[in-house]
Amino acid sequence: MRLFIDTGSVAEVEEISAWGVLSGATTNPTLLAREHADPGRTICRICDLVDGPVSAEVVATDAAGMIAQGLALSSLHEHVVVKVPFSPAGLEATSALAEQEIPVNMTLVFTASQALLAAEAGATFVSCFLGRLEDVSIDSGETLQGIIETLHTGQTTAEVLAASIRTPQHAVLAARLGAEIATVPGRVLHQMLAHPLTAAGIERFGADWASRPELGEWMTKLVDGEVVR
Ligand code: G3P
């Protein structure tokens, strides 16, 4: 499963892209509104940092407006994927953009039937929201499994993008169920990284190594090319 970062923060992408784990990114109007920055500069900078698909969302609610905004967003950078909210107008816009070979991420998908329609409209990615399902007491794992089975048994090439990831467990669940992508907020990526036993183990290795100063001297010489093999 590929990992995207779900953010509107360039600083967050600058930090986490250095880990070498990101294949793309997703933004949305809420995430961009949270940052007091030019949205175009933010989107383009994120495109350069992750060197992969970056979703930028239309805000129009009519098909013509979505298509116009999608074409404009797509022109910002070669990595931009146009994000279109699921609706009848969204399906019409997705179909029109896909016919022009512009990649679309259909978002705010919550059922297998919606995912099927999004895929048939020509969406490249179908964003299925886990956290928001759980906010209304719907089992996100069951829903995501149904969406994956529905899209993977058909002829569609649309990829399932697990979104609204609130915990490391959501990301692991998406991978175990076979989603192609999970888009993960920076906060959750940090949570995926952290474990007290890892931190304790690193500290223990350092202390034991330091207890033998000659070992440290050896490593320094090795790095400096002064160790005779
Ligand atoms: O960006 C789309 C999705 O990941 C947003 O998730 O946390 O606002 O439900 P959330």
Side-chain angles (χ1 to χ4, degrees):
M1 184 179 79
R2 305 194 304 278
L3 289 175
F4 289 7
I5 185 169
D6 195 28
T7 188
S9 165
V10 169
E12 219 170 44
V13 181
E14 284 172 340
E15 177 200 5
I16 296 174
S17 61
W19 298 358
V21 300
L22 299 179
S23 300
T26 52
T27 69
N28 67 40
T30 301
L31 292 170
L32 289 176
R34 207 172 280 166
E35 304 296 323
H36 299 284
D38 175 82
R41 287 203 190 97
T42 295
I43 291 163
C44 290
R45 179 69 180 129
I46 293 174
C47 285
D48 289 337
L49 285 165
V50 298
D51 192 25
V54 176
S55 293
E57 192 161 339
V58 301
V59 291
T61 53
D62 64 300
M66 287 174 172
I67 293 166
Q69 290 180 356
L71 292 170
L73 287 167
S74 180
S75 70
L76 283 175
H77 194 286
E78 62 178 339
H79 290 157
V80 166
V81 171
V82 178
K83 210 175 190 184
V84 176
F86 188 88
S87 69
L91 287 170
E92 183 179 344
T94 295
S95 177
L97 290 167
E99 278 172 13
Q100 298 183 56
E101 297 186 352
I102 291 174
V104 173
N105 173 1
M106 273 215 98
T107 190
L108 290 169
V109 169
F110 295 98
T111 64
S113 56
Q114 286 180 330
L116 194 54
L117 289 170
E120 289 308 305
T124 300
F125 305 112
V126 179
S127 286
C128 314
F129 281 42
L130 305 189
R132 295 193 194 185
L133 280 168
E134 293 178 0
D135 291 344
V136 292
S137 302
I138 293 174
D139 186 312
S140 62
E142 274 181 20
T143 303
L144 181 61
Q145 184 169 4
I147 288 171
I148 289 168
E149 287 171 0
T150 302
L151 294 195
H152 287 184
T153 50
Q155 303 305 313
T156 177
T157 58
E159 293 191 299
V160 177
L161 194 158
S164 192
I165 301 284
R166 304 278 173 78
T167 65
Q169 291 71 25
H170 276 163
V172 171
L173 174 66
R176 294 178 70 174
L177 290 177
E180 283 88 351
I181 300 158
T183 192
V184 185
R187 173 185 59 79
V188 177
L189 285 163
H190 276 285
Q191 288 173 331
M192 290 171 75
L193 190 78
H195 195 289
L197 290 179
T198 304
I202 291 170
E203 192 173 332
R204 173 71 184 276
F205 287 156
D208 290 345
W209 186 262
S211 70
R212 297 274 308 282
E214 68 274 25
L215 298 181
E217 291 160 13
W218 170 81
M219 182 65 86
T220 301
K221 286 179 180 173
L222 180 69
V223 169
D224 295 345
E226 295 170 8
V227 169
V228 177
R229 289 171 177 71

